[in-house]
Amino acid sequence: MEREEGPSRTATVLVLLAVGFLAGSYAADPAGFIITVEGFARSVYDGAVQWGVTVVLTAIASWCVGRKRTNR
């Protein structure tokens, strides 16, 4: 039996349920939905900034430690 290409049926159903839920939420309260989406987008952006700062600081610390060991 050959394996099918593309997303599984389960993944497709989950995506359709999520889209239906979002559409229903928007239809019930458009203003509240927009506020929720803006808050979610802001938290994602803040998380990305924190992650980026962490990566940069870790790279700097790693470089400093490596340089200190090299100078011994």
Side-chain angles (χ1 to χ4, degrees):
M1 183 173 175
E2 290 186 34
R3 187 160 186 244
E4 293 183 25
E5 294 287 327
S8 68
R9 287 186 181 150
T10 305
T12 304
V13 169
L14 289 174
V15 168
L16 291 175
L17 284 172
V19 169
F21 174 76
L22 291 174
S25 297
Y26 179 76
D29 183 16
F33 179 79
I34 291 170
I35 290 170
T36 301
V37 169
E38 286 176 349
F40 177 73
R42 190 174 302 116
S43 69
V44 168
Y45 175 78
D46 291 345
V49 169
Q50 289 175 354
W51 182 82
V53 168
T54 301
V55 167
V56 168
L57 291 177
T58 302
I60 291 170
S62 176
W63 179 77
C64 289
V65 168
R67 188 171 176 187
K68 189 175 184 180
R69 288 182 182 164
T70 305
N71 289 339
R72 285 185 179 182

